[in-house]
Amino acid sequence: MRALSSLPLTDRGLHYGDGLFETMRVVDGHIRLLDRHLGRLVAGAGRLAIPLPPMDTLRSSLEHAAEGHRDGVLKLIVTRGAGGRGYLPDEHPDPSVVLLRYPAVAPDTINAPVTVRLCDLRIARQPVLAGIKHLNRLEYVMARAEWRDPAIAEGLLLDTSGYLIEGVVSNVFFVREGRLFTPGLHQCGVAGVMRAHVMACAERLGIRVEEGGWRLDDLLCADEVFLTNSQSGMRPVVRLSGHRTWAVGDLTRQLQLALGADA
Amino acid sequence: MRALSSLPLTDRGLHYGDGLFETMRVVDGHIRLLDRHLGRLVAGAGRLAIPLPPMDTLRSSLEHAAEGHRDGVLKLIVTRGAGGRGYLPDEHPDPSVVLLRYPAVAPDTINAPVTVRLCDLRIARQPVLAGIKHLNRLEYVMARAEWRDPAIAEGLLLDTSGYLIEGVVSNVFFVREGRLFTPGLHQCGVAGVMRAHVMACAERLGIRVEEGGWRLDDLLCADEVFLTNSQSGMRPVVRLSGHRTWAVGDLTRQLQLALGADA
């Protein structure tokens, strides 16, 4: 496996967004939640029928890159590679692998309370692409372009049928009467690795997470709301701009404590 | 305006499919339907808020490229350019321009009758991105990957609500009792330049084109069906695999004749 230093103009990642990515947090030379990132990549590659490099090779390349990049962010992009003209994928694609390093997120954002807004853009329902982290991200660009106020940390997204799905770069959970809920992602949305990690952590604490279809009204009735993201951990939502405020709740704090150094 | 020879790995075209493209037919050193291609590009750039190079510069660069490429295909890609990390677009983006040359389509495909199939994949409904030719094309890759039989020229696409939208690389028209219909593209689909050209041509002949929401059953009741594409012109559909056959109809022939050298 050889990571590219520039992209051939014929790459299908550019032409069609025909590929996948993972954005991983590196702390002290180690990638957090690496197994979960690789698991999602494998799931996405299966869905898109993109052959990945051998998992051992991929893992050791990532670990090696992390060693040389003590703290920060590693972004891995895997595309279907260069293609002939046209949508038809090659029967035996030769994927392109791109590995990029970015600075660490500001430490004071990790697990920190946030104000969010509701985006006007509604996410399209496409079960064939739901959950995986593919390169077709224009909806998220359009949603993120709706605000520049740095006091707003995140935008919440409903889908075109009015169901709550996620944040632009996070997943959303809410608590009501001691029960923990998160939107199902079978129609759209990205199944975040921190979402999966928080769900597993909750199960270990005996807290069942209910996945399903909920609307804005369900969120507005919640007792606690928090967001998950592999870079910034578990952030309590203390205000939905134009709607209401929340205190940081007990269940949120309990889960943050349980996540500990993984958040 | 300088077309790139390779793409920086930080380009938002790769990371998010954050850009647009046009695929243009070149005949005798001239680009067919250039005004319509540029018009759609401008509409798409407006929708995505990507600043284009001055139109005169863009047009003369394309015309110059066509002169040196007598017959074939020119593909223009315009992305939002390199970006910082994250979905938020730069306030003053510096777009990337890529220009690629491909061989001409086989002459015997132009205006030639075709057999098509119905794709399993349903196109998602996303009005914010409908009609424009953006770089988020994974749905079309997935749909095109459904068949490799070279006897099938095209796959027809319904949307997730069951409405007929288009072909993977074409738009679709059908005739019933002397009236001409084509799917509206306000929820999804690409508004092809040949579609617009055929509609204008029909209007000149006094034939009104009715845009709307139609289902597979409407297509199956049609007297004539044809596809439009800027490379292959107006192709009569003579068979929908597993469903029915059609003869090449009078209105189809009349429109093909009227299009003449533009097809």
Side-chain angles (χ1 to χ4, degrees):
Chain A
M1 196 193 93
R2 187 180 51 82
L4 297 172
S5 56
S6 75
L7 196 74
L9 293 181
T10 54
D11 196 275
R12 294 174 64 97
L14 169 65
H15 286 248
Y16 308 129
D18 191 4
L20 300 156
F21 70 109
E22 292 292 331
T23 307
M24 295 161 281
R25 184 171 172 217
V26 181
V27 179
D28 292 334
H30 294 283
I31 298 172
R32 290 279 170 88
L33 305 179
L34 177 56
D35 286 347
R36 292 193 189 277
H37 282 292
L38 290 175
R40 182 173 60 185
L41 183 70
V42 167
R47 194 92 67 86
L48 302 186
I50 293 177
L52 291 176
M55 204 39 53
D56 286 356
T57 313
L58 195 55
R59 179 185 291 272
S60 62
S61 299
L62 290 171
E63 285 171 344
H64 182 73
E67 277 172 31
H69 184 58
R70 305 298 300 169
D71 293 282
V73 177
L74 277 181
K75 182 167 179 177
L76 171 71
I77 301 176
V78 180
T79 81
R80 202 185 303 272
R85 200 176 96 67
Y87 291 122
L88 183 65
D90 197 280
E91 280 193 89
H92 304 287
D94 180 19
S96 300
V97 178
V98 169
L99 198 52
L100 294 162
R101 293 178 169 88
Y102 296 96
V105 293
D108 61 358
T109 65
I110 294 167
N111 289 357
V114 288
T115 291
V116 305
R117 68 189 293 281
L118 185 66
C119 288
D120 295 328
L121 181 131
R122 303 291 185 97
I123 295 289
R125 293 161 68 87
Q126 177 48 277
V128 169
L129 299 176
I132 66 175
K133 199 141 179 171
H134 57 70
L135 293 172
N136 276 203
R137 293 293 156 206
L138 258 178
E139 288 180 309
Y140 297 79
V141 171
M142 301 290 276
R144 185 59 189 83
E146 289 182 16
W147 83 98
R148 291 190 179 271
D149 177 357
I152 307 284
E154 176 61 305
L156 298 185
L157 295 162
L158 308 180
D159 72 12
T160 50
S161 296
Y163 290 103
L164 175 68
I165 301 300
E166 59 192 345
V168 175
V169 295
S170 61
N171 291 111
V172 59
F173 290 75
F174 60 96
V175 177
R176 184 148 193 224
E177 295 170 0
R179 294 161 64 191
L180 182 57
F181 302 89
T182 194
L185 303 174
H186 306 291
Q187 289 292 331
C188 49
V190 178
V193 297
M194 188 57 81
R195 173 183 185 267
H197 193 59
V198 166
M199 287 170 82
C201 190
E203 302 281 347
R204 277 200 305 276
L205 294 174
I207 303 163
R208 194 162 67 86
V209 185
E210 299 175 48
E211 284 185 87
W214 289 287
R215 297 181 176 273
L216 181 60
D217 280 348
D218 296 304
L219 186 77
L220 295 177
C221 295
D223 304 315
E224 309 176 26
V225 180
F226 63 86
L227 306 178
T228 59
N229 171 285
S230 63
Q231 311 302 318
S232 52
M234 251 188 74
R235 287 179 297 174
V237 175
V238 292
R239 184 169 161 242
L240 174 58
S241 181
H243 290 276
R244 67 162 285 189
T245 60
W246 288 272
V248 180
D250 290 341
L251 189 54
T252 302
R253 286 191 205 280
Q254 186 187 355
L255 281 166
Q256 281 182 330
L257 276 173
L259 278 182
D262 288 330
Chain B
M1 195 193 93
R2 185 180 52 83
L4 297 172
S5 57
S6 74
L7 196 74
L9 293 182
T10 54
D11 197 274
R12 294 174 63 97
L14 169 65
H15 286 247
Y16 308 129
D18 192 4
L20 300 156
F21 70 110
E22 292 291 331
T23 308
M24 296 161 278
R25 185 172 170 216
V26 181
V27 178
D28 294 334
H30 293 282
I31 298 171
R32 289 281 168 88
L33 306 178
L34 178 56
D35 286 347
R36 290 193 189 276
H37 282 291
L38 290 174
R40 182 174 59 185
L41 183 71
V42 168
R47 195 92 67 86
L48 302 186
I50 294 177
L52 291 177
M55 205 38 53
D56 287 356
T57 312
L58 195 55
R59 179 185 290 274
S60 61
S61 299
L62 290 171
E63 285 171 344
H64 182 72
E67 276 172 30
H69 184 56
R70 304 297 301 168
D71 293 283
V73 177
L74 277 181
K75 182 167 179 176
L76 171 71
I77 300 176
V78 180
T79 81
R80 203 184 303 271
R85 199 176 98 67
Y87 291 123
L88 183 65
D90 197 279
E91 281 193 89
H92 304 288
D94 180 19
S96 300
V97 178
V98 170
L99 198 53
L100 294 162
R101 295 178 168 87
Y102 296 96
V105 293
D108 60 359
T109 65
I110 294 167
N111 289 356
V114 287
T115 291
V116 304
R117 68 190 293 282
L118 185 66
C119 288
D120 294 328
L121 182 132
R122 303 291 185 96
I123 295 289
R125 293 161 68 86
Q126 178 48 277
V128 169
L129 299 176
I132 66 175
K133 199 142 181 170
H134 56 71
L135 293 173
N136 276 203
R137 292 294 156 205
L138 258 179
E139 290 180 307
Y140 297 80
V141 171
M142 300 290 275
R144 185 59 188 84
E146 290 182 15
W147 84 98
R148 289 192 180 270
D149 177 358
I152 307 284
E154 176 62 302
L156 298 185
L157 295 163
L158 308 180
D159 72 13
T160 50
S161 297
Y163 290 103
L164 176 68
I165 300 299
E166 61 192 344
V168 175
V169 294
S170 61
N171 292 110
V172 58
F173 290 75
F174 60 95
V175 178
R176 184 147 192 226
E177 295 172 359
R179 294 161 65 189
L180 182 58
F181 302 89
T182 195
L185 302 174
H186 306 292
Q187 290 293 332
C188 48
V190 178
V193 297
M194 187 58 80
R195 173 183 185 268
H197 193 60
V198 165
M199 288 170 82
C201 191
E203 302 281 346
R204 276 201 305 276
L205 295 174
I207 304 162
R208 194 162 68 86
V209 184
E210 300 175 48
E211 283 185 88
W214 289 286
R215 298 183 176 272
L216 181 61
D217 280 349
D218 297 305
L219 186 78
L220 294 177
C221 294
D223 304 315
E224 310 176 25
V225 180
F226 64 85
L227 306 177
T228 58
N229 169 285
S230 64
Q231 311 301 319
S232 52
M234 252 187 75
R235 286 180 298 173
V237 174
V238 291
R239 185 169 159 242
L240 174 58
S241 182
H243 289 276
R244 64 162 286 186
T245 60
W246 289 272
V248 180
D250 289 342
L251 190 54
T252 302
R253 286 191 203 281
Q254 185 188 357
L255 282 165
Q256 281 183 330
L257 275 173
L259 278 183
D262 288 329

